[in-house]
Amino acid sequence: MGTKIEDILKTKIWLSSPHMGGNEQNYVKEAFDTNWVAPLGPNVTGFEQDLEKFLNEDVHIAALSSGTAALHLGLILLGVKAGDEVICQSFTFSASANPIVYLGATPVFIDSEIETWNMCPVALEDAIKDRISKGKTPKAIIPVHLYGMPYKADEIRSIANKYNIPILEDSAEALGSHYKGKMCGTFGDIAALSFNGNKIITTSGGGALVSHSKEIKEKAVFLATQARDNAPHYQHSEIGYNYRLSNISAGIGRGQMEVLQKHINLRREMHDFYKSIFKDNDAITVFQEPNSDYFSNHWLSCITINSDKLGKSREEIRLELEKENIESRPLWKPMHLQPIFKDYPYYGGKISETLFETGLCLPSGSNLNNDDKNRIKEVFQRFF
Ligand SMILES: *Cc1c(COP(=O)(O)O)cnc(C)c1O
């Protein structure tokens, strides 16, 4: 009693767990019934079309096996090669930076600004000028809409254009977010989306590459399917990858697209819930949009903690939640502080480092119910 895996799964409140809408299995069944059990088929095409329609711009989408694959192919399509430098937001998940190293290129990390927690335009321009003065113009810029919060898209774009450097937009956490009415995923020369199990919608594992040209999409699909030349035998004049999304996974994606808007609303309700819990507490700040230009999907709701005022550290709060089987997690540890990346160039101050020290992500799933909310609220009420 009480130790069966079912019981544990029932009572654990996760940070962000898969939330099925109901129709996913119908699309998957259709794939079985028609024997489209392959990394291509009607669900892949349908899922791509659903995403293109949702982003509401003239974009072309290639469904891939992961967001990381989309970033990797994105860098290749932007012409990044061994020995090049690529600028990357430091405050992010390692998958934003890893593909730079897959290619033998060098990441150059940039600190965040305090309003959106994303790439600081001032530090970005400092870095570009300094890298150019050292003899190397960066080949691409990877800004991230972290936790679903849009980065300062206008400012980053104008700097990128000034130095003629393309943007690879990491929109893995920001499907449904927008800035000045324009959807995240449409700001970059190329963008990456993720449908990993913890994201706002999931295909159990998957991603997509977004571009503004049909040719780039076609090239992405070509590279993602082993770069096979047009010949009856297997002929290759480029290195290829096996990165296409399966028709089974894409079926899950089509079902998830039917509930995406609902998931966005529910994630934003979770964020409102946290704002209401902490509204009279000046030791805890809920991270929110700086102004009405920004619309976050609030993939994860995050707080920062003034532990002097609260009398509790971030880690003490995390452990209190864990005791009640409630998952929470420190904010992303910046890349320039990671053992594997610490020797690469870094520009900026201590904004992301301070966020890492004081911040916590709270359970944010679209599938959390009132009982879950009450359990979370009770833990915090003990502190106040
Ligand atoms: C999830 C995520 C990725 C990688 O996506 P996968 O589909 O898990 O490969 C990249 N960048 C960020 C910011 C992410 O959160």
Side-chain angles (χ1 to χ4, degrees), residues 65-69 71 92-93 95-96 144-146 170 172-173 193-196 198-199 205-207 299 332:
S65 54
S66 71
T68 311
L71 290 163
T92 186
F93 175 48
S96 308
V144 187
H145 308 289
L146 212 62
D170 184 342
E173 302 178 359
L193 304 174
S194 168
F195 315 112
N196 198 5
N198 58 349
K199 299 286 158 55
W299 169 59
W332 297 120

